[in-house]
Amino acid sequence: MSPTVALVVGLVVGGALVATVLLLHARPGPRPPAPLPAPPPEAVLARRLVDLMDPAVVLLDAADVVVLANRAARGLGIVRDTRLVVPELLEIARAARDGGRPRTDVPLPGALVGSSPRMVGVHGLLLAAGPGPGTGPVALVLQDVTEARRVEAVRRDFVANVGHELKTPVGALSLLAEAIEDAADDPETVRRFASRMSHEADRLGRLVRELIDLSRLQGGEPMPELVPVEVDRVVAEAVDRTGLAASAKRIPIATGGEQGLVVRGVESQLATAVTNLLANAVTYSPEGTRIAVGARSRSGFAEITVTDSGIGIPRKDRSRIFERFYRVDQSRASSTGGTGLGLAIVKHVASNHGGAVTVWSEEGLGSTFTLRIPLAARPADDPDAPAGDAVAADVSKGRS
Ligand code: ADP
């Protein structure tokens, strides 16, 4: 290499090195972290937390002036400007200042909340001792317990009712057993009492069965999967189960309406519901009358109707007959063997299926109960199913 060439090469390599070093230095390095915004003071955070909390919280100073009320408390309508508008709440604050830790339920009138009356569970807490007795800031913590108290009341009622309902047939059985003992040498009387015993035992058995059904339907057990159920099969099963009682009263049961409907449901539950409606139709109809059961599809629902020309239901009782143990005529319960649970079961079956049950009735003319259950999806709505006609049509084709 000539000295000139060596000089040129040296200059080029040197220049490149200098340029690389300069470039490297020019590349931006890791940025220094931006200073974080200073966290809000603890007091602000605490206030924000209280505001977001679910229970309603109100802070009162020693003179009962509201110094803080969270969103939930304002939503309850208990604070106006800086004052509590419910006198019972002020009493709880006073009790807390006197050294107690009062906890009590307070009813809030509907007008305050802008909806139905509510029940709130209130807990009063003295936050700091004041300069003298009965002074100091107090916190009131309020939880809406309306639904919880309602459920408790229903449960208490239910247990009391069950006790009462079980006592009647059990009492009758023990009296009849005594009577049989006393009449041991009179076969005719023994037979009569024995037949009444069997009637009471049937009633007791039905009551226990229906109680178990009801507790299952009310969520005692998870609801089985809803599958396509043929309405015709449900109706046929229910007619079959009530046939004997109906023919004993010379009541024919006519079936009709649309055939081949398919609903989404649990067949055993639906059969129980329709059986209960048919059994009532038989029970509350005079001998020699007629009963009809039919089905039709209406706006995505199968409507199963049970019509009788029996005694009908007085207007004042119509809205209550679906309650547990409600009977129009309590005194007739032992002669009809009624438990007052049949329609409560029907109502639960309907609601578990996303449906409903309604009644039309006129005293002396008869009643029509309508059970509405969602129809099963048509194959066309189901992307996995082969295209075809409605399920209803497919099923009716499949059955000869
Ligand atoms: P029960 O076991 O007493 O029949 P239900 O819950 O099935 O209980 O019915 C509640 C009440 O509704 C009955 O006691 C009866 O007074 C009235 N009821 C039900 N179905 C009919 C009907 N088809 N006709 C007249 N009254 C009825």
Side-chain angles (χ1 to χ4, degrees):
M1 197 188 289
S2 75
T4 323
V5 172
L7 181 69
V8 170
V9 170
L11 278 174
V12 169
V13 172
L17 274 173
V18 169
T20 308
V21 169
L22 282 176
L23 268 176
L24 275 176
H25 276 272
R27 203 181 278 169
R31 281 210 194 113
L36 285 173
E42 267 169 29
V44 174
L45 286 177
R47 206 185 167 108
R48 206 172 287 167
L49 173 70
V50 170
D51 211 34
L52 293 175
M53 272 167 49
D54 220 18
V57 179
V58 179
L59 191 61
L60 298 173
D61 71 7
D64 283 339
V65 173
V66 175
V67 288
L68 187 151
N70 71 354
R71 213 175 290 171
R74 289 190 298 272
L76 284 176
I78 52 176
V79 181
R80 199 154 302 149
D81 299 326
T82 56
R83 289 288 167 186
L84 278 178
V85 290
V86 182
E88 287 95 328
L89 295 179
L90 290 171
E91 275 166 33
I92 296 171
R94 249 159 252 150
R97 282 194 196 98
D98 289 342
R101 289 172 68 86
R103 266 177 202 276
T104 181
D105 284 358
V106 174
L108 299 183
L112 276 186
V113 197
S115 64
S116 49
R118 315 297 300 166
M119 182 66 82
V120 285
V122 188
H123 187 190
L125 296 154
L126 182 65
L127 294 182
T135 59
V138 164
L140 297 181
V141 182
L142 301 87
Q143 296 264 23
D144 190 333
V145 290
T146 316
E147 189 52 23
R149 297 293 179 265
R150 193 190 65 78
V151 170
E152 277 166 28
V154 168
R155 191 166 304 153
R156 262 199 313 275
D157 221 37
F158 183 55
V159 172
N161 278 332
V162 169
H164 175 78
E165 296 291 331
L166 287 173
K167 250 193 241 160
T168 318
V170 168
L173 279 173
S174 89
L175 283 177
L176 285 165
E178 271 175 34
I180 283 181
E181 239 181 329
D182 292 346
D185 43 6
D186 178 356
E188 186 44 43
T189 311
V190 168
R191 253 194 299 276
R192 195 154 41 87
F193 286 152
S195 129
R196 281 180 53 193
M197 274 183 99
S198 121
H199 174 77
E200 290 300 335
D202 281 351
R203 188 159 167 233
L204 193 60
R206 184 172 155 202
L207 183 59
V208 171
R209 237 183 357 263
E210 292 191 342
L211 279 172
I212 293 170
D213 278 352
L214 197 59
S215 91
R216 282 199 187 125
L217 288 166
Q218 284 182 316
E221 272 179 18
M223 176 80 175
E225 201 193 337
L226 301 183
V227 294
V229 175
E230 294 172 34
V231 172
D232 296 345
R233 277 172 58 105
V234 169
V235 170
E237 170 75 24
V239 170
D240 192 46
R241 287 194 213 164
T242 29
L244 213 59
S247 55
K249 286 179 85 174
R250 292 183 298 106
I251 298 178
I253 301 177
T255 54
E258 256 176 83
Q259 296 217 316
L261 297 178
V262 176
V263 291
R264 259 170 60 73
V266 180
E267 187 167 330
S268 58
Q269 290 189 7
L270 293 170
T272 300
V274 180
T275 304
N276 288 359
L277 294 179
L278 272 177
N280 279 349
V282 172
T283 304
Y284 301 105
S285 293
E287 284 198 18
T289 51
R290 295 176 63 83
I291 291 174
V293 50
R296 62 177 186 175
S297 84
R298 274 282 178 287
S299 333
F301 285 78
E303 287 187 353
I304 304 168
T305 49
V306 175
T307 304
D308 64 58
S309 38
I311 59 172
I313 301 160
R315 180 184 298 275
K316 66 173 181 22
D317 300 295
R318 261 172 243 160
S319 59
R320 301 202 56 195
I321 51 171
F322 295 99
E323 292 172 18
R324 289 177 303 204
F325 298 117
Y326 190 83
R327 301 180 191 104
V328 172
D329 185 354
Q330 289 288 353
S331 60
R332 250 197 352 214
S334 77
S335 65
T336 61
T339 59
L341 293 175
L343 289 179
I345 290 175
V346 178
K347 190 179 93 178
H348 279 285
V349 169
S351 68
N352 285 358
H353 282 74
V357 55
T358 50
V359 60
W360 173 92
S361 189
E362 205 58 62
E363 260 185 292
L365 278 183
S367 313
T368 294
F369 285 84
T370 304
L371 179 63
R372 279 187 190 80
I373 302 293
L375 286 166
R378 293 154 178 254
D381 302 339
D382 178 356
D384 298 330
D389 288 332
V391 169
D394 280 355
V395 169
S396 58
K397 265 186 266 158
R399 302 167 71 211
S400 48

